[in-house]
Amino acid sequence: MDKLKLIRNAIKNFDGVLTRCAICPRRCGIDRQGGRRGYCRAPLEPVVYSYIQHHGEEPALSGSKGSGTIFFAYCNMKCAYCQNYQFSQLDKGEKITIEKLASMMLDLQRSGCHNINLVSPTHYVPQIIMALEIAVTKGLNIPIVYNTSGYDSSDTIKMLDGIIDIYLPDMRYSDNGMAMRYSDAPDYVEHNRSIVEEMYKQVGDLALNGEGIAEKGLIIRLLVLPNGVSGTKESLKFIRDRISKNSYLSIMSQYYPTFRAGNFKEISRRVEKSEYDNVVDEAHLLGLNNGWIQEYEDRPDERFLGTNIKPKKDI
């Protein structure tokens, strides 16, 4: 079945879901179509903070022409250290129509972007699918990236089968106590691991074209937090045992204390080099050798290095 038919089937499946919203694990049950707002605070209409030709994503996404990134406002998590807090937590952005969202996608394709990168799409999935119907009808044909914090509903992800080409989930925590304390997501681990398994079932390991640009597959982001808060080593073991030893990982050192992180002593500093190196070493020990690591600096930037996770001696 072609993508347009799958999109139209998904629109039918999502019909009425926002009258008792249950598209994310919180299942607020509120009537967004009637103007009410749930935990994520998002209105019915999509709210976009910006859309850009982004050159700071993983090399397989940014390539030479950039990733067509659309940043959605609001979020179904409340991370104390949110690095996008201006629009995820403080709700800055512009309310737009479905037609405008489709137009943004087409503008990014015309700009030469390698893909359409949907950042924080969880709470707008039905609206995004409607926009995709318009955009695909008008010629959108580059890969669609679902770039999520990883607190999604398996039921929702299952309805995206064949529509999303590249899944880019975070695996933020391996302990629900930490997820509750720092992100107000008490059941994060179960939902996160379930959706990562479903994503892998749909798209498999990352497939690259001859230029090293991602065409389809799964990339898992692992943001290393101070003092072992993220439990990244346990997430790596889950990936090895339940996903694939060929998984592409993006192990990130870029954490810095922002927003409300100062309220928690244990995350009120940057990640130390030894903490980051220990995670990279664990990935190698587990045989997870595909993906990207970040160059560690006192103030790490967002550049990703290499096409494989490399031993420290080669960096």
Side-chain angles (χ1 to χ4, degrees), residues 78-83 172-173 177-184 223-231 254-272 275:
K78 285 187 170 66
C79 298
Y81 51 86
C82 180
Q83 298 181 12
R172 197 74 64 81
Y173 303 102
M178 298 295 187
M180 179 63 188
R181 177 169 172 80
Y182 304 109
S183 297
D184 195 30
L223 178 65
V224 182
L225 298 175
N227 288 303
V229 164
S230 51
Q254 68 194 49
Y255 175 81
Y256 62 95
T258 188
F259 194 43
R260 300 192 174 113
N263 295 336
F264 302 90
K265 182 179 179 181
E266 59 275 24
I267 60 168
S268 63
R269 62 166 174 83
R270 290 179 177 273
V271 173
E272 295 176 355
E275 293 174 307

Side-chain angles (χ1 to χ4, degrees), residues 156-209:
T156 297
I157 297 300
K158 287 176 182 176
M159 287 194 278
L160 300 178
D161 191 3
I163 298 172
I164 300 300
D165 301 286
I166 301 165
Y167 282 107
L168 183 60
D170 288 341
M171 292 195 76
R172 197 74 64 81
Y173 303 102
S174 61
D175 179 87
N176 281 330
M178 298 295 187
M180 179 63 188
R181 177 169 172 80
Y182 304 109
S183 297
D184 195 30
D187 50 0
Y188 180 90
V189 177
E190 292 84 358
H191 287 290
N192 180 248
R193 293 183 175 184
S194 176
I195 62 109
V196 172
E197 287 186 293
E198 174 61 27
M199 291 170 174
Y200 181 73
K201 178 181 175 183
Q202 291 180 22
V203 298
D205 293 315
L206 191 67
L208 308 174
N209 66 17

